[in-house]
PDB file of all heavy atoms in Angstrom:
ATOM      1  N   GLY A   1      15.156   4.136 -13.889  1.00  0.00           N
ATOM      2  CA  GLY A   1      14.952   3.277 -12.608  1.00  0.00           C
ATOM      3  C   GLY A   1      13.965   3.911 -11.608  1.00  0.00           C
ATOM      4  O   GLY A   1      13.102   3.276 -11.117  1.00  0.00           O
ATOM      5  N   ARG A   2      14.085   5.242 -11.414  1.00  0.00           N
ATOM      6  CA  ARG A   2      13.181   5.854 -10.439  1.00  0.00           C
ATOM      7  C   ARG A   2      11.709   5.832 -10.946  1.00  0.00           C
ATOM      8  O   ARG A   2      10.839   5.555 -10.151  1.00  0.00           O
ATOM      9  CB  ARG A   2      13.608   7.384 -10.210  1.00  0.00           C
ATOM     10  CG  ARG A   2      15.038   7.431  -9.698  1.00  0.00           C
ATOM     11  CD  ARG A   2      15.423   8.963  -9.445  1.00  0.00           C
ATOM     12  NE  ARG A   2      16.860   9.030  -9.233  1.00  0.00           N
ATOM     13  CZ  ARG A   2      17.759   9.143 -10.193  1.00  0.00           C
ATOM     14  NH1 ARG A   2      17.561   9.110 -11.386  1.00  0.00           N
ATOM     15  NH2 ARG A   2      19.090   9.305  -9.782  1.00  0.00           N
ATOM     16  N   GLN A   3      11.600   6.101 -12.243  1.00  0.00           N
ATOM     17  CA  GLN A   3      10.146   6.060 -12.765  1.00  0.00           C
ATOM     18  C   GLN A   3       9.596   4.644 -12.631  1.00  0.00           C
ATOM     19  O   GLN A   3       8.392   4.423 -12.383  1.00  0.00           O
ATOM     20  CB  GLN A   3      10.202   6.549 -14.220  1.00  0.00           C
ATOM     21  CG  GLN A   3      10.420   8.048 -14.383  1.00  0.00           C
ATOM     22  CD  GLN A   3      11.960   8.357 -14.312  1.00  0.00           C
ATOM     23  OE1 GLN A   3      12.775   7.480 -14.196  1.00  0.00           O
ATOM     24  NE2 GLN A   3      12.283   9.633 -14.382  1.00  0.00           N
ATOM     25  N   ALA A   4      10.424   3.629 -12.967  1.00  0.00           N
ATOM     26  CA  ALA A   4       9.969   2.281 -12.876  1.00  0.00           C
ATOM     27  C   ALA A   4       9.619   1.886 -11.478  1.00  0.00           C
ATOM     28  O   ALA A   4       8.649   1.265 -11.189  1.00  0.00           O
ATOM     29  CB  ALA A   4      11.003   1.290 -13.409  1.00  0.00           C
ATOM     30  N   ALA A   5      10.412   2.349 -10.507  1.00  0.00           N
ATOM     31  CA  ALA A   5      10.191   2.003  -9.074  1.00  0.00           C
ATOM     32  C   ALA A   5       8.892   2.701  -8.635  1.00  0.00           C
ATOM     33  O   ALA A   5       8.059   2.101  -7.898  1.00  0.00           O
ATOM     34  CB  ALA A   5      11.358   2.416  -8.248  1.00  0.00           C
ATOM     35  N   GLU A   6       8.685   3.950  -9.053  1.00  0.00           N
ATOM     36  CA  GLU A   6       7.429   4.665  -8.646  1.00  0.00           C
ATOM     37  C   GLU A   6       6.212   4.044  -9.251  1.00  0.00           C
ATOM     38  O   GLU A   6       5.176   3.899  -8.518  1.00  0.00           O
ATOM     39  CB  GLU A   6       7.598   6.126  -9.171  1.00  0.00           C
ATOM     40  CG  GLU A   6       6.483   7.061  -8.755  1.00  0.00           C
ATOM     41  CD  GLU A   6       6.669   8.501  -9.199  1.00  0.00           C
ATOM     42  OE1 GLU A   6       7.786   8.870  -9.261  1.00  0.00           O
ATOM     43  OE2 GLU A   6       5.672   9.111  -9.549  1.00  0.00           O
ATOM     44  N   LYS A   7       6.306   3.606 -10.482  1.00  0.00           N
ATOM     45  CA  LYS A   7       5.228   2.924 -11.071  1.00  0.00           C
ATOM     46  C   LYS A   7       4.846   1.576 -10.333  1.00  0.00           C
ATOM     47  O   LYS A   7       3.695   1.305 -10.049  1.00  0.00           O
ATOM     48  CB  LYS A   7       5.478   2.641 -12.568  1.00  0.00           C
ATOM     49  CG  LYS A   7       4.391   1.864 -13.250  1.00  0.00           C
ATOM     50  CD  LYS A   7       4.754   1.631 -14.743  1.00  0.00           C
ATOM     51  CE  LYS A   7       3.575   0.894 -15.478  1.00  0.00           C
ATOM     52  NZ  LYS A   7       3.905   0.655 -16.890  1.00  0.00           N
ATOM     53  N   SER A   8       5.932   0.821 -10.033  1.00  0.00           N
ATOM     54  CA  SER A   8       5.700  -0.448  -9.279  1.00  0.00           C
ATOM     55  C   SER A   8       5.105  -0.140  -7.893  1.00  0.00           C
ATOM     56  O   SER A   8       4.186  -0.850  -7.427  1.00  0.00           O
ATOM     57  CB  SER A   8       7.004  -1.207  -9.116  1.00  0.00           C
ATOM     58  OG  SER A   8       6.860  -2.323  -8.334  1.00  0.00           O
ATOM     59  N   PHE A   9       5.606   0.874  -7.201  1.00  0.00           N
ATOM     60  CA  PHE A   9       5.067   1.233  -5.879  1.00  0.00           C
ATOM     61  C   PHE A   9       3.641   1.613  -5.944  1.00  0.00           C
ATOM     62  O   PHE A   9       2.777   1.105  -5.178  1.00  0.00           O
ATOM     63  CB  PHE A   9       5.914   2.402  -5.332  1.00  0.00           C
ATOM     64  CG  PHE A   9       5.409   2.955  -4.070  1.00  0.00           C
ATOM     65  CD1 PHE A   9       5.811   2.446  -2.843  1.00  0.00           C
ATOM     66  CD2 PHE A   9       4.497   4.080  -4.024  1.00  0.00           C
ATOM     67  CE1 PHE A   9       5.336   2.929  -1.664  1.00  0.00           C
ATOM     68  CE2 PHE A   9       4.066   4.637  -2.838  1.00  0.00           C
ATOM     69  CZ  PHE A   9       4.479   4.009  -1.666  1.00  0.00           C
ATOM     70  N   ASN A  10       3.229   2.444  -7.018  1.00  0.00           N
ATOM     71  CA  ASN A  10       1.803   2.856  -7.046  1.00  0.00           C
ATOM     72  C   ASN A  10       0.874   1.720  -7.427  1.00  0.00           C
ATOM     73  O   ASN A  10      -0.260   1.596  -6.895  1.00  0.00           O
ATOM     74  CB  ASN A  10       1.739   3.959  -8.114  1.00  0.00           C
ATOM     75  CG  ASN A  10       2.209   5.298  -7.544  1.00  0.00           C
ATOM     76  OD1 ASN A  10       2.101   5.633  -6.394  1.00  0.00           O
ATOM     77  ND2 ASN A  10       2.856   6.086  -8.424  1.00  0.00           N
ATOM     78  N   LEU A  11       1.357   0.806  -8.279  1.00  0.00           N
ATOM     79  CA  LEU A  11       0.522  -0.336  -8.641  1.00  0.00           C
ATOM     80  C   LEU A  11       0.335  -1.318  -7.464  1.00  0.00           C
ATOM     81  O   LEU A  11      -0.728  -1.797  -7.211  1.00  0.00           O
ATOM     82  CB  LEU A  11       1.154  -1.065  -9.874  1.00  0.00           C
ATOM     83  CG  LEU A  11       1.109  -0.405 -11.207  1.00  0.00           C
ATOM     84  CD1 LEU A  11       1.902  -1.145 -12.259  1.00  0.00           C
ATOM     85  CD2 LEU A  11      -0.361  -0.263 -11.665  1.00  0.00           C
ATOM     86  N   GLY A  12       1.447  -1.582  -6.791  1.00  0.00           N
ATOM     87  CA  GLY A  12       1.404  -2.402  -5.586  1.00  0.00           C
ATOM     88  C   GLY A  12       0.506  -1.846  -4.526  1.00  0.00           C
ATOM     89  O   GLY A  12      -0.258  -2.519  -3.888  1.00  0.00           O
ATOM     90  N   ARG A  13       0.542  -0.564  -4.343  1.00  0.00           N
ATOM     91  CA  ARG A  13      -0.243   0.144  -3.290  1.00  0.00           C
ATOM     92  C   ARG A  13      -1.731   0.036  -3.682  1.00  0.00           C
ATOM     93  O   ARG A  13      -2.541  -0.323  -2.777  1.00  0.00           O
ATOM     94  CB  ARG A  13       0.159   1.610  -3.203  1.00  0.00           C
ATOM     95  CG  ARG A  13      -0.600   2.370  -2.177  1.00  0.00           C
ATOM     96  CD  ARG A  13      -0.141   3.810  -2.070  1.00  0.00           C
ATOM     97  NE  ARG A  13      -0.371   4.489  -3.421  1.00  0.00           N
ATOM     98  CZ  ARG A  13      -0.485   5.830  -3.476  1.00  0.00           C
ATOM     99  NH1 ARG A  13      -0.478   6.576  -2.418  1.00  0.00           N
ATOM    100  NH2 ARG A  13      -0.645   6.383  -4.629  1.00  0.00           N
ATOM    101  N   GLU A  14      -2.049   0.243  -4.908  1.00  0.00           N
ATOM    102  CA  GLU A  14      -3.463   0.100  -5.280  1.00  0.00           C
ATOM    103  C   GLU A  14      -4.013  -1.296  -5.037  1.00  0.00           C
ATOM    104  O   GLU A  14      -5.089  -1.504  -4.537  1.00  0.00           O
ATOM    105  CB  GLU A  14      -3.639   0.510  -6.740  1.00  0.00           C
ATOM    106  CG  GLU A  14      -5.083   0.436  -7.263  1.00  0.00           C
ATOM    107  CD  GLU A  14      -5.201   0.937  -8.722  1.00  0.00           C
ATOM    108  OE1 GLU A  14      -4.170   1.291  -9.311  1.00  0.00           O
ATOM    109  OE2 GLU A  14      -6.388   0.892  -9.201  1.00  0.00           O
ATOM    110  N   TYR A  15      -3.181  -2.251  -5.419  1.00  0.00           N
ATOM    111  CA  TYR A  15      -3.566  -3.675  -5.244  1.00  0.00           C
ATOM    112  C   TYR A  15      -3.651  -4.046  -3.793  1.00  0.00           C
ATOM    113  O   TYR A  15      -4.683  -4.644  -3.352  1.00  0.00           O
ATOM    114  CB  TYR A  15      -2.586  -4.591  -5.963  1.00  0.00           C
ATOM    115  CG  TYR A  15      -2.818  -6.066  -5.883  1.00  0.00           C
ATOM    116  CD1 TYR A  15      -3.748  -6.681  -6.710  1.00  0.00           C
ATOM    117  CD2 TYR A  15      -2.159  -6.829  -4.919  1.00  0.00           C
ATOM    118  CE1 TYR A  15      -4.029  -8.032  -6.629  1.00  0.00           C
ATOM    119  CE2 TYR A  15      -2.372  -8.196  -4.856  1.00  0.00           C
ATOM    120  CZ  TYR A  15      -3.357  -8.764  -5.629  1.00  0.00           C
ATOM    121  OH  TYR A  15      -3.578 -10.148  -5.524  1.00  0.00           O
ATOM    122  N   ASP A  16      -2.668  -3.747  -3.055  1.00  0.00           N
ATOM    123  CA  ASP A  16      -2.600  -4.160  -1.625  1.00  0.00           C
ATOM    124  C   ASP A  16      -3.592  -3.551  -0.773  1.00  0.00           C
ATOM    125  O   ASP A  16      -4.292  -4.067   0.024  1.00  0.00           O
ATOM    126  CB  ASP A  16      -1.203  -3.896  -1.035  1.00  0.00           C
ATOM    127  CG  ASP A  16      -0.143  -4.816  -1.537  1.00  0.00           C
ATOM    128  OD1 ASP A  16      -0.467  -5.863  -2.139  1.00  0.00           O
ATOM    129  OD2 ASP A  16       1.079  -4.486  -1.396  1.00  0.00           O
ATOM    130  N   THR A  17      -3.794  -2.175  -0.933  1.00  0.00           N
ATOM    131  CA  THR A  17      -4.729  -1.441  -0.158  1.00  0.00           C
ATOM    132  C   THR A  17      -6.200  -1.872  -0.355  1.00  0.00           C
ATOM    133  O   THR A  17      -7.051  -1.777   0.502  1.00  0.00           O
ATOM    134  CB  THR A  17      -4.593   0.067  -0.243  1.00  0.00           C
ATOM    135  OG1 THR A  17      -4.712   0.374  -1.576  1.00  0.00           O
ATOM    136  CG2 THR A  17      -3.193   0.507   0.163  1.00  0.00           C
ATOM    137  N   SER A  18      -6.461  -2.334  -1.566  1.00  0.00           N
ATOM    138  CA  SER A  18      -7.793  -2.698  -1.883  1.00  0.00           C
ATOM    139  C   SER A  18      -8.295  -3.869  -1.084  1.00  0.00           C
ATOM    140  O   SER A  18      -9.485  -4.118  -0.836  1.00  0.00           O
ATOM    141  CB  SER A  18      -7.962  -3.098  -3.388  1.00  0.00           C
ATOM    142  OG  SER A  18      -7.212  -4.280  -3.709  1.00  0.00           O
ATOM    143  N   ARG A  19      -7.413  -4.688  -0.473  1.00  0.00           N
ATOM    144  CA  ARG A  19      -7.782  -5.800   0.402  1.00  0.00           C
ATOM    145  C   ARG A  19      -8.558  -5.321   1.650  1.00  0.00           C
ATOM    146  O   ARG A  19      -9.339  -6.066   2.152  1.00  0.00           O
ATOM    147  CB  ARG A  19      -6.542  -6.561   0.821  1.00  0.00           C
ATOM    148  CG  ARG A  19      -5.855  -7.263  -0.311  1.00  0.00           C
ATOM    149  CD  ARG A  19      -4.513  -7.848   0.095  1.00  0.00           C
ATOM    150  NE  ARG A  19      -4.686  -8.764   1.238  1.00  0.00           N
ATOM    151  CZ  ARG A  19      -4.958 -10.034   1.151  1.00  0.00           C
ATOM    152  NH1 ARG A  19      -5.183 -10.637  -0.005  1.00  0.00           N
ATOM    153  NH2 ARG A  19      -5.100 -10.826   2.301  1.00  0.00           N
ATOM    154  N   ALA A  20      -8.283  -4.112   2.056  1.00  0.00           N
ATOM    155  CA  ALA A  20      -8.998  -3.558   3.232  1.00  0.00           C
ATOM    156  C   ALA A  20     -10.496  -3.365   3.018  1.00  0.00           C
ATOM    157  O   ALA A  20     -11.258  -3.205   3.941  1.00  0.00           O
ATOM    158  CB  ALA A  20      -8.347  -2.214   3.642  1.00  0.00           C
ATOM    159  N   ASN A  21     -10.934  -3.417   1.729  1.00  0.00           N
ATOM    160  CA  ASN A  21     -12.289  -3.268   1.410  1.00  0.00           C
ATOM    161  C   ASN A  21     -13.076  -4.520   1.667  1.00  0.00           C
ATOM    162  O   ASN A  21     -14.299  -4.531   1.612  1.00  0.00           O
ATOM    163  CB  ASN A  21     -12.442  -2.846  -0.011  1.00  0.00           C
ATOM    164  CG  ASN A  21     -11.860  -1.522  -0.324  1.00  0.00           C
ATOM    165  OD1 ASN A  21     -11.992  -0.609   0.484  1.00  0.00           O
ATOM    166  ND2 ASN A  21     -11.312  -1.352  -1.543  1.00  0.00           N
ATOM    167  N   PHE A  22     -12.380  -5.667   1.882  1.00  0.00           N
ATOM    168  CA  PHE A  22     -13.071  -6.907   1.929  1.00  0.00           C
ATOM    169  C   PHE A  22     -13.055  -7.585   3.288  1.00  0.00           C
ATOM    170  O   PHE A  22     -13.649  -8.662   3.484  1.00  0.00           O
ATOM    171  CB  PHE A  22     -12.414  -7.932   0.947  1.00  0.00           C
ATOM    172  CG  PHE A  22     -12.537  -7.405  -0.528  1.00  0.00           C
ATOM    173  CD1 PHE A  22     -11.474  -6.860  -1.072  1.00  0.00           C
ATOM    174  CD2 PHE A  22     -13.716  -7.445  -1.180  1.00  0.00           C
ATOM    175  CE1 PHE A  22     -11.601  -6.277  -2.399  1.00  0.00           C
ATOM    176  CE2 PHE A  22     -13.857  -6.955  -2.500  1.00  0.00           C
ATOM    177  CZ  PHE A  22     -12.686  -6.422  -3.112  1.00  0.00           C
ATOM    178  N   SER A  23     -12.419  -6.952   4.312  1.00  0.00           N
ATOM    179  CA  SER A  23     -12.349  -7.489   5.583  1.00  0.00           C
ATOM    180  C   SER A  23     -12.077  -6.419   6.620  1.00  0.00           C
ATOM    181  O   SER A  23     -11.167  -5.604   6.451  1.00  0.00           O
ATOM    182  CB  SER A  23     -11.206  -8.584   5.749  1.00  0.00           C
ATOM    183  OG  SER A  23     -11.090  -9.032   7.091  1.00  0.00           O
ATOM    184  N   SER A  24     -12.843  -6.460   7.711  1.00  0.00           N
ATOM    185  CA  SER A  24     -12.668  -5.518   8.800  1.00  0.00           C
ATOM    186  C   SER A  24     -11.361  -5.810   9.585  1.00  0.00           C
ATOM    187  O   SER A  24     -10.910  -4.961  10.337  1.00  0.00           O
ATOM    188  CB  SER A  24     -13.825  -5.485   9.804  1.00  0.00           C
ATOM    189  OG  SER A  24     -13.986  -6.786  10.433  1.00  0.00           O
ATOM    190  N   ALA A  25     -10.773  -6.986   9.360  1.00  0.00           N
ATOM    191  CA  ALA A  25      -9.560  -7.366  10.126  1.00  0.00           C
ATOM    192  C   ALA A  25      -8.343  -6.960   9.278  1.00  0.00           C
ATOM    193  O   ALA A  25      -7.225  -7.335   9.599  1.00  0.00           O
ATOM    194  CB  ALA A  25      -9.588  -8.862  10.356  1.00  0.00           C
ATOM    195  N   ILE A  26      -8.527  -6.237   8.151  1.00  0.00           N
ATOM    196  CA  ILE A  26      -7.415  -5.798   7.335  1.00  0.00           C
ATOM    197  C   ILE A  26      -7.614  -4.228   7.292  1.00  0.00           C
ATOM    198  O   ILE A  26      -8.614  -3.667   6.841  1.00  0.00           O
ATOM    199  CB  ILE A  26      -7.420  -6.344   5.914  1.00  0.00           C
ATOM    200  CG1 ILE A  26      -7.231  -7.855   5.973  1.00  0.00           C
ATOM    201  CG2 ILE A  26      -6.344  -5.762   5.071  1.00  0.00           C
ATOM    202  CD1 ILE A  26      -7.305  -8.561   4.590  1.00  0.00           C
ATOM    203  N   ARG A  27      -6.559  -3.527   7.750  1.00  0.00           N
ATOM    204  CA  ARG A  27      -6.579  -2.081   7.734  1.00  0.00           C
ATOM    205  C   ARG A  27      -5.316  -1.491   7.024  1.00  0.00           C
ATOM    206  O   ARG A  27      -4.280  -2.231   7.070  1.00  0.00           O
ATOM    207  CB  ARG A  27      -6.709  -1.549   9.145  1.00  0.00           C
ATOM    208  CG  ARG A  27      -8.009  -1.869   9.776  1.00  0.00           C
ATOM    209  CD  ARG A  27      -8.201  -0.981  10.915  1.00  0.00           C
ATOM    210  NE  ARG A  27      -9.536  -1.186  11.546  1.00  0.00           N
ATOM    211  CZ  ARG A  27     -10.094  -0.358  12.378  1.00  0.00           C
ATOM    212  NH1 ARG A  27      -9.525   0.828  12.729  1.00  0.00           N
ATOM    213  NH2 ARG A  27     -11.312  -0.634  12.953  1.00  0.00           N
ATOM    214  N   ALA A  28      -5.428  -0.388   6.382  1.00  0.00           N
ATOM    215  CA  ALA A  28      -4.288   0.149   5.725  1.00  0.00           C
ATOM    216  C   ALA A  28      -4.166   1.665   6.019  1.00  0.00           C
ATOM    217  O   ALA A  28      -5.116   2.290   6.347  1.00  0.00           O
ATOM    218  CB  ALA A  28      -4.583  -0.023   4.212  1.00  0.00           C
ATOM    219  N   THR A  29      -2.938   2.097   5.881  1.00  0.00           N
ATOM    220  CA  THR A  29      -2.657   3.515   6.066  1.00  0.00           C
ATOM    221  C   THR A  29      -1.561   3.982   5.112  1.00  0.00           C
ATOM    222  O   THR A  29      -0.812   3.127   4.607  1.00  0.00           O
ATOM    223  CB  THR A  29      -2.216   3.783   7.516  1.00  0.00           C
ATOM    224  OG1 THR A  29      -2.170   5.216   7.732  1.00  0.00           O
ATOM    225  CG2 THR A  29      -0.870   3.212   7.739  1.00  0.00           C
ATOM    226  N   GLU A  30      -1.469   5.258   4.905  1.00  0.00           N
ATOM    227  CA  GLU A  30      -0.540   5.804   3.883  1.00  0.00           C
ATOM    228  C   GLU A  30       0.105   7.033   4.528  1.00  0.00           C
ATOM    229  O   GLU A  30      -0.592   7.904   5.125  1.00  0.00           O
ATOM    230  CB  GLU A  30      -1.229   6.121   2.632  1.00  0.00           C
ATOM    231  CG  GLU A  30      -0.342   6.720   1.535  1.00  0.00           C
ATOM    232  CD  GLU A  30      -1.204   7.174   0.353  1.00  0.00           C
ATOM    233  OE1 GLU A  30      -2.305   6.575   0.179  1.00  0.00           O
ATOM    234  OE2 GLU A  30      -0.700   7.980  -0.410  1.00  0.00           O
ATOM    235  N   ARG A  31       1.431   7.196   4.484  1.00  0.00           N
ATOM    236  CA  ARG A  31       2.057   8.361   5.061  1.00  0.00           C
ATOM    237  C   ARG A  31       3.475   8.535   4.433  1.00  0.00           C
ATOM    238  O   ARG A  31       3.942   7.658   3.717  1.00  0.00           O
ATOM    239  CB  ARG A  31       2.212   8.155   6.513  1.00  0.00           C
ATOM    240  CG  ARG A  31       2.958   6.995   6.989  1.00  0.00           C
ATOM    241  CD  ARG A  31       2.688   6.646   8.476  1.00  0.00           C
ATOM    242  NE  ARG A  31       3.429   5.467   8.855  1.00  0.00           N
ATOM    243  CZ  ARG A  31       4.626   5.470   9.362  1.00  0.00           C
ATOM    244  NH1 ARG A  31       5.241   6.628   9.473  1.00  0.00           N
ATOM    245  NH2 ARG A  31       5.268   4.355   9.585  1.00  0.00           N
ATOM    246  N   THR A  32       4.062   9.648   4.776  1.00  0.00           N
ATOM    247  CA  THR A  32       5.402   9.903   4.366  1.00  0.00           C
ATOM    248  C   THR A  32       6.322   9.679   5.519  1.00  0.00           C
ATOM    249  O   THR A  32       6.090  10.207   6.645  1.00  0.00           O
ATOM    250  CB  THR A  32       5.639  11.396   3.917  1.00  0.00           C
ATOM    251  OG1 THR A  32       4.779  11.594   2.751  1.00  0.00           O
ATOM    252  CG2 THR A  32       7.041  11.688   3.471  1.00  0.00           C
ATOM    253  N   THR A  33       7.311   8.791   5.353  1.00  0.00           N
ATOM    254  CA  THR A  33       8.240   8.390   6.396  1.00  0.00           C
ATOM    255  C   THR A  33       9.523   9.090   6.181  1.00  0.00           C
ATOM    256  O   THR A  33       9.848   9.683   5.158  1.00  0.00           O
ATOM    257  CB  THR A  33       8.418   6.877   6.401  1.00  0.00           C
ATOM    258  OG1 THR A  33       9.243   6.497   5.314  1.00  0.00           O
ATOM    259  CG2 THR A  33       7.077   6.139   6.381  1.00  0.00           C
ATOM    260  N   PRO A  34      10.447   9.052   7.168  1.00  0.00           N
ATOM    261  CA  PRO A  34      11.795   9.555   6.943  1.00  0.00           C
ATOM    262  C   PRO A  34      12.564   8.978   5.761  1.00  0.00           C
ATOM    263  O   PRO A  34      13.386   9.676   5.122  1.00  0.00           O
ATOM    264  CB  PRO A  34      12.496   9.309   8.216  1.00  0.00           C
ATOM    265  CG  PRO A  34      11.467   9.255   9.288  1.00  0.00           C
ATOM    266  CD  PRO A  34      10.312   8.634   8.617  1.00  0.00           C
ATOM    267  N   SER A  35      12.185   7.767   5.340  1.00  0.00           N
ATOM    268  CA  SER A  35      12.821   7.167   4.296  1.00  0.00           C
ATOM    269  C   SER A  35      12.134   7.429   2.886  1.00  0.00           C
ATOM    270  O   SER A  35      12.798   7.221   1.845  1.00  0.00           O
ATOM    271  CB  SER A  35      12.954   5.624   4.488  1.00  0.00           C
ATOM    272  OG  SER A  35      13.620   5.294   5.603  1.00  0.00           O
ATOM    273  N   GLY A  36      10.901   7.864   2.906  1.00  0.00           N
ATOM    274  CA  GLY A  36      10.195   8.094   1.725  1.00  0.00           C
ATOM    275  C   GLY A  36       8.742   7.794   1.823  1.00  0.00           C
ATOM    276  O   GLY A  36       8.261   7.401   2.916  1.00  0.00           O
ATOM    277  N   PRO A  37       7.952   7.962   0.835  1.00  0.00           N
ATOM    278  CA  PRO A  37       6.512   7.694   0.875  1.00  0.00           C
ATOM    279  C   PRO A  37       6.296   6.213   1.134  1.00  0.00           C
ATOM    280  O   PRO A  37       7.011   5.415   0.605  1.00  0.00           O
ATOM    281  CB  PRO A  37       5.967   8.107  -0.527  1.00  0.00           C
ATOM    282  CG  PRO A  37       7.170   8.078  -1.397  1.00  0.00           C
ATOM    283  CD  PRO A  37       8.333   8.479  -0.577  1.00  0.00           C
ATOM    284  N   ALA A  38       5.253   5.922   1.876  1.00  0.00           N
ATOM    285  CA  ALA A  38       5.096   4.445   2.282  1.00  0.00           C
ATOM    286  C   ALA A  38       3.593   4.232   2.503  1.00  0.00           C
ATOM    287  O   ALA A  38       2.766   5.112   2.760  1.00  0.00           O
ATOM    288  CB  ALA A  38       5.816   4.169   3.582  1.00  0.00           C
ATOM    289  N   TYR A  39       3.258   2.949   2.331  1.00  0.00           N
ATOM    290  CA  TYR A  39       1.939   2.482   2.737  1.00  0.00           C
ATOM    291  C   TYR A  39       2.121   1.214   3.628  1.00  0.00           C
ATOM    292  O   TYR A  39       3.079   0.486   3.425  1.00  0.00           O
ATOM    293  CB  TYR A  39       1.067   2.232   1.568  1.00  0.00           C
ATOM    294  CG  TYR A  39       1.476   1.109   0.586  1.00  0.00           C
ATOM    295  CD1 TYR A  39       1.047  -0.221   0.857  1.00  0.00           C
ATOM    296  CD2 TYR A  39       2.251   1.390  -0.511  1.00  0.00           C
ATOM    297  CE1 TYR A  39       1.404  -1.221  -0.018  1.00  0.00           C
ATOM    298  CE2 TYR A  39       2.549   0.375  -1.391  1.00  0.00           C
ATOM    299  CZ  TYR A  39       2.154  -0.972  -1.090  1.00  0.00           C
ATOM    300  OH  TYR A  39       2.613  -2.029  -2.008  1.00  0.00           O
ATOM    301  N   ALA A  40       1.207   1.023   4.531  1.00  0.00           N
ATOM    302  CA  ALA A  40       1.271  -0.129   5.380  1.00  0.00           C
ATOM    303  C   ALA A  40      -0.082  -0.817   5.468  1.00  0.00           C
ATOM    304  O   ALA A  40      -1.087  -0.108   5.382  1.00  0.00           O
ATOM    305  CB  ALA A  40       1.778   0.248   6.812  1.00  0.00           C
ATOM    306  N   VAL A  41      -0.049  -2.125   5.581  1.00  0.00           N
ATOM    307  CA  VAL A  41      -1.298  -2.875   5.645  1.00  0.00           C
ATOM    308  C   VAL A  41      -1.126  -3.802   6.841  1.00  0.00           C
ATOM    309  O   VAL A  41      -0.213  -4.607   6.989  1.00  0.00           O
ATOM    310  CB  VAL A  41      -1.555  -3.659   4.397  1.00  0.00           C
ATOM    311  CG1 VAL A  41      -2.834  -4.432   4.509  1.00  0.00           C
ATOM    312  CG2 VAL A  41      -1.581  -2.758   3.234  1.00  0.00           C
ATOM    313  N   ALA A  42      -2.213  -3.779   7.758  1.00  0.00           N
ATOM    314  CA  ALA A  42      -2.178  -4.659   8.885  1.00  0.00           C
ATOM    315  C   ALA A  42      -3.164  -5.768   8.606  1.00  0.00           C
ATOM    316  O   ALA A  42      -4.328  -5.482   8.214  1.00  0.00           O
ATOM    317  CB  ALA A  42      -2.560  -3.922  10.130  1.00  0.00           C
ATOM    318  N   ASN A  43      -2.827  -7.076   8.791  1.00  0.00           N
ATOM    319  CA  ASN A  43      -3.700  -8.145   8.514  1.00  0.00           C
ATOM    320  C   ASN A  43      -3.796  -8.972   9.766  1.00  0.00           C
ATOM    321  O   ASN A  43      -2.894  -9.594  10.212  1.00  0.00           O
ATOM    322  CB  ASN A  43      -3.130  -8.998   7.428  1.00  0.00           C
ATOM    323  CG  ASN A  43      -4.017 -10.110   6.905  1.00  0.00           C
ATOM    324  OD1 ASN A  43      -4.887 -10.522   7.701  1.00  0.00           O
ATOM    325  ND2 ASN A  43      -3.860 -10.627   5.683  1.00  0.00           N
ATOM    326  N   ALA A  44      -4.941  -8.959  10.383  1.00  0.00           N
ATOM    327  CA  ALA A  44      -5.237  -9.663  11.652  1.00  0.00           C
ATOM    328  C   ALA A  44      -6.130 -10.915  11.389  1.00  0.00           C
ATOM    329  O   ALA A  44      -6.849 -11.286  12.250  1.00  0.00           O
ATOM    330  CB  ALA A  44      -5.789  -8.798  12.677  1.00  0.00           C
ATOM    331  N   THR A  45      -6.049 -11.487  10.202  1.00  0.00           N
ATOM    332  CA  THR A  45      -6.828 -12.663   9.864  1.00  0.00           C
ATOM    333  C   THR A  45      -5.993 -13.912  10.048  1.00  0.00           C
ATOM    334  O   THR A  45      -5.737 -14.636   9.098  1.00  0.00           O
ATOM    335  CB  THR A  45      -7.397 -12.591   8.440  1.00  0.00           C
ATOM    336  OG1 THR A  45      -6.288 -12.454   7.522  1.00  0.00           O
ATOM    337  CG2 THR A  45      -8.374 -11.437   8.279  1.00  0.00           C
ATOM    338  N   GLY A  46      -5.388 -14.059  11.206  1.00  0.00           N
ATOM    339  CA  GLY A  46      -4.318 -15.049  11.413  1.00  0.00           C
ATOM    340  C   GLY A  46      -4.800 -16.506  11.413  1.00  0.00           C
ATOM    341  O   GLY A  46      -3.871 -17.345  11.652  1.00  0.00           O
TER     342      GLY A  46
END
């Protein structure tokens, strides 16, 4: 289960963060949080 979750997390991160390459209104960041490794994407193309 842990390996499957890690693989899904990494694939999702690669896909989601790539959106920041196509719009200045989309920004992304990556960090370690108290709960675990995380990535965040802000989308201001409302």
Side-chain angles (χ1 to χ4, degrees):
R2 299 178 191 88
Q3 291 80 4
E6 184 177 325
K7 179 178 180 180
S8 174
F9 175 86
N10 286 325
L11 288 173
R13 182 179 58 155
E14 182 177 0
Y15 178 81
D16 288 343
T17 57
S18 67
R19 292 172 56 86
N21 296 323
F22 301 101
S23 173
S24 62
I26 298 176
R27 294 199 177 195
T29 189
E30 179 184 339
R31 60 198 177 89
T32 299
T33 72
S35 299
Y39 64 88
V41 181
N43 187 338
T45 58

